[in-house]
Amino acid sequence: MAKPFSFKVLATDGSARRGVIDMPRGEIRTPAFMPVGTGGTVKTMYMDQVRGLGADIILGNTYHLMLRPGAERVARLGGLHEFARWPHPILTDSGGFQVMSLSKLRKLTEKGVTFRSHIDGAAYEMSPERSIEIQGLLDSDIQMQLDECTALPAEMKEIERAMELSLRWAERCKTAFGDQPGKAMFGIVQGGDNAALRVRSAQALSAMELKGYAVGGLAVGEPQAVMLEMLDITCPELPEGKPRYLMGVGTPDDILKSVARGVDMFDCVMPTRAGRHGLAYTRRGKVNLRNARHADDPRPLDEESDCPAARDYSRAYLHHLVRSQEALGAMLLTWNNLSYYQKHMQDIRTAIEAHAFEARAAEISEGWARGDIPAI
């Protein structure tokens, strides 16, 4: 019999929570940041590197894996854990965000969504049931309901229609998921930037008694203040004993402010994408290695970091790699960024345990505000 999925809050500091999700494939320390492994790979990283940086869980993308190499093929090859050589927990998103971002290629109905592949134009159908089936074929540990994510700004009638459709799809996903020992299906709160719709969505999903709850449809174009306002409204409506996942967020500052409002889980392509484009995240804020000021700088990104990419390579060398478009530049900066994000999460967890979260958050923010070291 598989170990049951469980979540326990170990410490609180204000609304910030330090907890642990326990699953057959391992524990997830929360607040947690999940590196994004869209197509079965965290871009430019080895999986053992990702694990070594402190990641307990990674994210896979249902839409992209369905198109290539195909969910049935992954299943024949032992599932995504075996395929990608990641034996630890995996969360798969449902494809709902891609439904939004590919709006010109899709048709939406009550049954589901039909769309054309961005790769070759082939036609596909995705229903709530098929989304859960694909996630099961991938053998993911946490599966997300299919939802309709609305880009902001949008008219209230459109936001309400998408929110209500997402609730109906959540019920169908719950039925399709059934009882899978040791695994979980999360519902997704929608409602755009409308407080009343967010509350309705959160309350309806809570009544379904799911194993976890995500907040979706944020970080899609709205200001940070709007995102935080929606979290202030939504998080209190979600069950205290279930994990809360803010989808697609975000910057280190987004994470800090969202943890303060009770969020437990995060994912974002930002650290990996930024690394591929010459941008480093550090305790002094963002550093753009494309800038000429680094061309003759022998100093490392951060002499105090325990990540070799930040500590052992000169800014001049990193600048050279980025400007020359060498693959190693993307590898080193992604390594640095994911290291920084995981250290950021550990720092947050430690501060909550010590009941010092507010003070530590202020210190971290002050470090960013001071900025990078002066140019030579």
Side-chain angles (χ1 to χ4, degrees):
M1 184 72 178
K3 179 194 296 185
F5 174 96
S6 68
F7 172 67
K8 184 177 182 181
V9 176
L10 303 176
T12 60
D13 189 1
S15 295
R17 294 141 48 107
R18 161 74 172 101
V20 62
I21 296 171
D22 198 13
M23 308 188 74
R25 287 191 170 103
E27 289 186 348
I28 304 163
R29 297 163 294 168
T30 65
F33 179 80
M34 300 179 284
V36 176
T38 300
T41 170
V42 178
K43 288 182 173 61
T44 77
M45 296 286 289
Y46 298 110
M47 287 300 189
D48 56 354
Q49 275 182 303
V50 176
R51 180 65 172 178
L53 295 175
D56 296 329
I57 179 172
I58 62 171
L59 180 143
N61 184 276
T62 294
Y63 167 83
H64 288 284
L65 290 165
M66 173 189 69
L67 296 184
R68 188 170 54 192
E72 282 78 9
R73 175 172 289 156
V74 173
R76 289 196 302 270
L77 294 167
L80 191 55
H81 299 84
E82 177 67 23
F83 191 54
R85 308 305 297 164
W86 176 266
H88 317 291
I90 294 176
L91 179 148
T92 43
D93 66 8
S94 65
F97 181 79
Q98 281 69 35
V99 168
M100 178 194 77
S101 62
L102 298 172
S103 58
K104 294 180 180 179
L105 300 174
R106 53 88 164 166
K107 179 181 179 182
L108 197 69
T109 67
E110 184 71 31
K111 179 181 177 182
V113 59
T114 57
F115 59 90
R116 293 199 173 275
S117 165
H118 70 284
I119 299 170
D120 59 9
Y124 288 85
E125 293 186 6
M126 177 82 82
S127 65
E129 293 78 11
R130 177 58 176 161
S131 175
I132 294 297
E133 180 186 20
I134 292 169
Q135 294 179 75
L137 288 166
L138 297 173
D139 195 25
S140 68
D141 304 282
I142 300 177
Q143 302 173 23
M144 304 303 299
Q145 73 151 102
L146 184 65
D147 64 328
E148 183 186 356
C149 180
T150 306
L152 297 176
E155 296 293 328
M156 180 176 171
K157 285 183 65 176
E158 176 64 12
I159 296 172
E160 184 174 25
R161 181 202 59 75
M163 183 273 285
E164 294 287 0
L165 178 64
S166 296
L167 287 176
R168 295 191 295 273
W169 283 1
E171 290 277 14
R172 288 166 58 187
C173 285
K174 179 183 176 182
T175 299
F177 182 81
D179 180 20
Q180 298 185 36
K183 296 189 175 186
M185 191 208 87
F186 285 15
I188 303 176
V189 177
Q190 290 291 350
D193 54 1
N194 185 281
L197 295 181
R198 286 281 174 184
V199 169
R200 276 171 52 189
S201 178
Q203 290 177 345
L205 286 170
S206 297
M208 296 182 198
E209 298 184 346
L210 304 172
K211 292 182 180 179
Y213 298 88
V215 180
L218 295 174
V220 291
E222 81 288 354
Q224 186 196 58
V226 173
M227 179 187 79
L228 297 177
E229 180 188 356
M230 292 303 104
L231 290 178
D232 282 330
I233 291 162
T234 303
C235 285
E237 301 294 336
L238 297 173
E240 288 189 7
K242 303 289 180 71
R244 303 166 186 159
Y245 163 32
L246 180 55
M247 304 183 75
V249 175
T251 68
D253 184 55
D254 288 336
I255 290 171
L256 204 59
K257 288 182 168 64
S258 300
V259 166
R261 289 160 170 80
V263 176
D264 306 299
M265 302 170 69
F266 303 86
D267 82 281
C268 191
V269 299
M270 207 166 284
T272 48
R273 179 177 290 166
R276 298 195 304 277
H277 291 87
L279 190 66
Y281 285 93
T282 78
R283 61 190 170 90
R284 302 182 181 104
K286 293 184 289 188
V287 178
N288 186 349
L289 272 304
R290 298 189 66 85
N291 289 345
R293 59 164 283 186
H294 302 291
D296 294 300
D297 195 334
R299 298 170 297 180
L301 266 175
D302 186 351
E303 70 286 351
E304 294 183 10
S305 175
D306 60 4
C307 175
R311 184 193 63 219
D312 298 342
Y313 294 85
S314 72
R315 291 168 180 244
Y317 184 58
L318 295 173
H319 170 80
H320 158 69
L321 294 175
V322 169
R323 293 301 294 268
S324 303
Q325 298 185 345
E326 290 285 350
L328 182 58
M331 294 165 66
L332 290 174
L333 292 181
T334 302
W335 189 9
N336 166 80
N337 289 350
L338 287 179
S339 173
Y340 178 76
Y341 266 65
Q342 294 300 343
K343 291 295 188 296
H344 187 46
M345 304 313 297
Q346 182 57 55
D347 201 358
I348 288 170
R349 292 192 293 264
T350 300
I352 296 171
E353 290 171 354
H355 302 287
F357 175 71
E358 186 175 351
R360 183 60 187 139
E363 291 175 356
I364 293 169
S365 298
E366 287 167 9
W368 296 331
R370 282 194 297 270
D372 195 18
I373 53 178
I376 290 178

